[in-house]
Each structure stands twice: as structure tokens, then as C-alpha cells.
Amino acid sequence: MSRRALLAASGGVAAAAFMGGGTADAESRGYQNPVEPTNHPDPAVLFADGAFYLYSTAGSMGAMPVLTSPDLVHWTQVGNGMPVIAEWSVSGRHWAPEVMRIGDRYHSYYTARRADNGQQAVSVSVSDSPAGPFVDDRSAPLVGQADEGGSIDASPFRDTDGSLWLLWKNDGNAVGLPSYIYLQRLTDDGLELRGEPQRIIGMDQPYEKYTIEGASVIVYEGAYYCFYSTGEYWNDSYGVCWATAPKVTGPWTKQGNGPILSGNEVASGPGHGMPIEVGPHWWYVYHAWEPDGQPSGRLVWLSRLKFTDDGPVIDGPRVQNPFGPIVPRRT
């Protein structure tokens, strides 16, 4: 049943409010998608100070929307986490922030439009709190790649040895060039890059259409997994694929015959999310459109991520989910 049909059958506004908030007991009664029924593209999640924080592409809340939740299901608006933008950027195109705690501060790796050439670029802003305010006092972005269309979709990664890395995508599809997922080492303070960037994943499969983007890396049982999105984000060609490697620098090998998360009768164009481990299980937080063309934007969805003998499986998209995140109680 589509979300629109479910709302109609359940009684309009009251049903919409219930679906947006999920359920009170995620362990026993599960939850309903979308977990956040408002426009929050490119969501990324951090657990900090006993709560989950969600960051998304700029919208009605400002350059860096921030929400918080106790359980990944019930979300509350915090506000604009970056009220003052960097001097090298212009307003309106702040995209896909991902936040990592480094030392006693929080680093947001984000995308914004450059004032000098109009391209998108990646930079880093810093805050004492996961809620912000995040400040980027750089005079130039961290990554630009002007000759490759610009740079977007930064994702920080801390390896098992403590080393810090940054993934991003050159914005090649914006100028008719190929797009690649790049990787480069970060300095220990997370504020600068060191060494040389390397292309770790390109477009070479028949199911990869238009671009690849939104990469995120985790380690599971000693293997490295990169989840990334491919397709046109505005339609059903968009979905999530994966690759694996023995170490973060590769070599990366794509697996499977296509996306492990794709659109269906309840959600269109799911993708550009990230995995997060909660208690004994993994979850994938992502955005998706409503399938019937309603102008509601990209809503926040949550699906279980499982690892099988054949690789990772994302259980969704589905509205009704009988099993929710089990958040360890703090003692």
C-alpha cells in the first residue's frame, strides 16, 4: 500500500502525525517510515552525548538543518547548525554535511557553492557541540577540483588504527565529465588533507547511471564496505550499491548485480544515506521521495542493514517495520 493510500485509509491528519513520529517502544512494536516526514535530503547521523543527531542538505531550517532523536525514530528539530557561512562560499547550495567527533570537538564535512567560480566544493567546519554552531574560518575550501566539475558529498572515516580519511565525489556529471569516488588521508586534527587523493570507485557497471555519489565506508568483521548511490536522484533510477575491500585504500571490488536498495510502491529514489551501528544491529538512514509525485521533498527513511554470506542487504523501503533499533540503556 502506498503512503498516500495508507494515510487515506487510516484517517488523514491523525495518521500522518502517527507515521511521522514512529512508535514509543522501538524494541517491541517497531516503527513506521518515513521516520521524518519533512524534506531533509542527504541525511547523515551521529550518536553523541546520549542522543542521535541528524544533519541534512540546506532547506527551510537554514544552511545546516539539525534534528535530534533518542532512538532514530522520533525526531525533533534543533535548528540551523551553521548560521554563519564561510567567507569563500555563497548561500543557497549547502549540501550533505557529515559530522565526526575528533578530540573534544565536532567536525562537519560539507559541500557549498564557491563564490569565485560558482562550483560546488568540500570544506570543514567545527563546533564544540554536535548541535552547533559550526564555524568554517577557512579562506578557501578543503577540496575544489575545478578541472573536474567541483567536489561534493564528503564523508569522514576513522580507520581501525585511528587514522582519519575523507571520501568525496568529483561533481563531473554537472559538467559532462565522469564522476569518481575519491579518498585522501586527513591530518590527525581532521582539518587538512595529506598525501595525494586517489580514485577508489568509478562508473563501470551497466546499472550505474548518470553518476555515483554519497559514499560511506564502514568496517564489519575485518572487511571494508563502501555504500554509494547511483542514478538520477529525482527518479526511480536512484539506488544504493556497495563495494568491498581488504583495506580502505583498496582495491575496491563491486559486488552483486545492481542496487541493494531501490524504489518500490512506497518510496521512490531511495539513497544517499549512511550506515550506523545501534546496539547489536546495523541500520541505514537515507532519503526517499513519495512515489506519487507529491511535492513533499526527500523524506528521511530508516531500514535494517544485514550482513549475509552474499554480502550486505538493506531491508526496504517499507512503511511497516516490526523491528526497531535497540538503543543500549545508559547506566
Side-chain angles (χ1 to χ4, degrees), residues 37 101 119 121 145 183 190 199 202 213:
R101 181 170 182 170
Q119 291 183 336
Q145 293 178 296
L183 174 75
R199 293 174 176 173
E213 60 188 19

Side-chain angles (χ1 to χ4, degrees), residues 264-325:
N264 57 21
E265 70 278 6
V266 298
S268 177
H272 199 137
M274 65 174 293
I276 181 169
E277 187 175 18
V278 182
H281 303 116
W282 283 89
W283 298 84
Y284 193 74
V285 181
Y286 57 99
H287 71 230
W289 302 91
E290 293 187 7
D292 46 13
Q294 294 185 74
S296 53
R298 285 169 280 178
L299 315 181
V300 181
W301 285 63
L302 177 68
S303 291
R304 178 86 179 274
L305 171 61
K306 303 175 184 178
F307 291 87
T308 72
D309 291 342
D310 296 322
V313 175
I314 299 176
D315 185 18
R318 62 174 63 188
V319 172
Q320 300 284 357
N321 297 270
F323 180 85

Side-chain angles (χ1 to χ4, degrees), residues 112-131:
R113 190 174 185 178
R114 294 173 60 163
D116 57 357
N117 66 6
Q119 291 183 336
Q120 297 294 94
V122 164
S123 195
V124 57
S125 57
V126 181
S127 173
D128 293 327
S129 164

Side-chain angles (χ1 to χ4, degrees), residues 91-138:
S91 63
R93 297 185 70 180
H94 282 65
W95 296 350
E98 290 195 21
V99 177
M100 173 183 282
R101 181 170 182 170
I102 300 176
D104 58 357
R105 307 192 78 190
Y106 296 87
H107 292 50
S108 168
Y109 297 88
Y110 72 102
T111 303
R113 190 174 185 178
R114 294 173 60 163
D116 57 357
N117 66 6
Q119 291 183 336
Q120 297 294 94
V122 164
S123 195
V124 57
S125 57
V126 181
S127 173
D128 293 327
S129 164
F134 286 85
V135 176
D136 181 354
D137 58 6
R138 302 175 61 91

Side-chain angles (χ1 to χ4, degrees), residues 62-197:
M64 185 182 177
V66 183
L67 291 79
T68 189
S69 169
D71 55 11
L72 287 183
V73 174
H74 305 79
W75 291 98
T76 302
Q77 291 187 5
V78 175
N80 182 9
M82 194 175 184
V84 178
I85 64 174
E87 66 176 48
W88 58 265
S89 69
V90 294
S91 63
R93 297 185 70 180
H94 282 65
W95 296 350
E98 290 195 21
V99 177
M100 173 183 282
R101 181 170 182 170
I102 300 176
D104 58 357
R105 307 192 78 190
Y106 296 87
H107 292 50
S108 168
Y109 297 88
Y110 72 102
T111 303
R113 190 174 185 178
R114 294 173 60 163
D116 57 357
N117 66 6
Q119 291 183 336
Q120 297 294 94
V122 164
S123 195
V124 57
S125 57
V126 181
S127 173
D128 293 327
S129 164
F134 286 85
V135 176
D136 181 354
D137 58 6
R138 302 175 61 91
S139 59
L142 186 64
V143 185
Q145 293 178 296
D147 59 343
E148 294 190 53
S151 307
I152 68 172
D153 294 355
S155 179
F157 169 71
R158 179 180 283 112
D159 207 344
T160 54
D161 63 0
S163 60
L164 300 176
W165 301 80
L166 189 68
L167 297 98
W168 73 89
K169 162 214 165 179
N170 75 293
D171 203 16
N173 54 282
V175 293
L177 295 174
S179 297
Y180 300 91
I181 303 300
Y182 278 85
L183 174 75
Q184 192 169 351
R185 180 80 179 266
L186 284 162
T187 53
D188 291 344
D189 62 7
L191 297 176
E192 301 291 343
L193 293 165
R194 55 185 288 190
E196 297 296 324

Side-chain angles (χ1 to χ4, degrees), residues 203-215:
M203 296 180 65
D204 54 15
Q205 300 298 314
Y207 53 81
E208 294 171 336
K209 180 181 179 181
Y210 181 64
T211 192
I212 54 174
E213 60 188 19

